[in-house]
Amino acid sequence: MTIQAPAHPLSPPEIVVNQAVPEDERVWVPQAPNVWFRPLMLNTVNGQWCNLLRVRRAGVLSRHRHPAPVHGYVIKGSWRYLEHDWVATEGSYVFEPPGETHTLVVDPDVPEMITFFNISGCMYYVDEQGNHTGFEDVFSKIDMCRKHYIAAGLGERYVDQFVR
Ligand code: FE
């Protein structure tokens, strides 16, 4: 039995992803060699997005700065930031404060890591000197998803289910 949900008519529809870690490999969007993301919620009103990051290689992945908060939950494997002495191990929650610049590293003994990230604003990428090299926001993420899902045969509308 379903109880009538008291949703406001202006409230956007909910999102439920039963296989957050998908069985269909095509759902993973390639980000870089051996690095993928899986969209869960792409928020065009707040400029924010929730996704899984999957990495199957060791070494430095990126150096970046956050202008807004990031929340992470490690589902599989582990990773760390060169600027800190902690390791985000399986089951860990991480809060990344706005204003922090850090360098994401996966160690050689980790064959695969999967982490849920809730990211606001943008990923502001920098080089070793701190110079700006690029950025990603919810709109560039949507564009990447759409392009990949067309090429992967899931269709140009596949990403729309995650967009609010
Ligand atoms: Fe970060």
Side-chain angles (χ1 to χ4, degrees):
M1 191 178 96
T2 305
I3 297 171
Q4 185 103 26
H8 190 279
L10 292 177
S11 173
E14 74 279 23
I15 298 174
V16 178
V17 179
N18 290 127
Q19 280 185 16
V21 179
E23 280 177 12
D24 187 344
E25 182 61 28
R26 298 175 300 170
V27 176
W28 289 106
V29 180
Q31 167 105 27
N34 299 313
V35 180
W36 301 261
F37 72 96
R38 187 268 199 263
L40 293 168
M41 200 287 187
L42 300 160
N43 187 336
T44 63
V45 177
N46 272 8
Q48 167 258 346
W49 68 101
C50 294
N51 67 185
L52 303 186
L53 180 68
R54 184 179 74 179
V55 179
R56 290 177 176 166
R57 71 176 165 91
V60 171
L61 280 127
S62 75
R63 179 173 291 103
H64 58 265
R65 181 180 174 92
H66 298 289
V70 172
H71 304 268
Y73 176 75
V74 184
I75 295 170
K76 183 177 181 185
S78 65
W79 52 269
R80 61 192 174 87
Y81 287 128
L82 290 183
E83 292 79 3
H84 294 288
D85 58 8
W86 49 261
V87 178
T89 51
E90 194 169 302
S92 298
Y93 163 78
V94 176
F95 166 62
E96 304 183 10
E100 179 166 303
T101 302
H102 45 221
T103 310
L104 177 56
V105 171
V106 175
D107 286 318
D109 62 335
V110 179
E112 179 180 76
M113 81 82 154
I114 298 175
T115 301
F116 170 86
F117 282 112
N118 178 346
I119 300 165
S120 287
C122 73
M123 298 282 288
Y124 182 94
Y125 294 106
V126 297
D127 63 17
E128 286 180 32
Q129 284 72 45
N131 299 310
H132 175 63
T133 58
F135 79 98
E136 293 187 298
D137 62 12
V138 67
F139 302 103
S140 65
K141 288 308 215 186
I142 292 170
D143 292 346
M144 286 174 76
C145 289
R146 199 176 305 283
K147 190 176 174 193
H148 167 71
Y149 291 144
I150 291 170
L154 291 170
E156 67 174 323
R157 304 303 302 265
Y158 186 80
V159 68
D160 292 353
Q161 64 189 295
F162 309 116
V163 177
R164 292 294 183 272

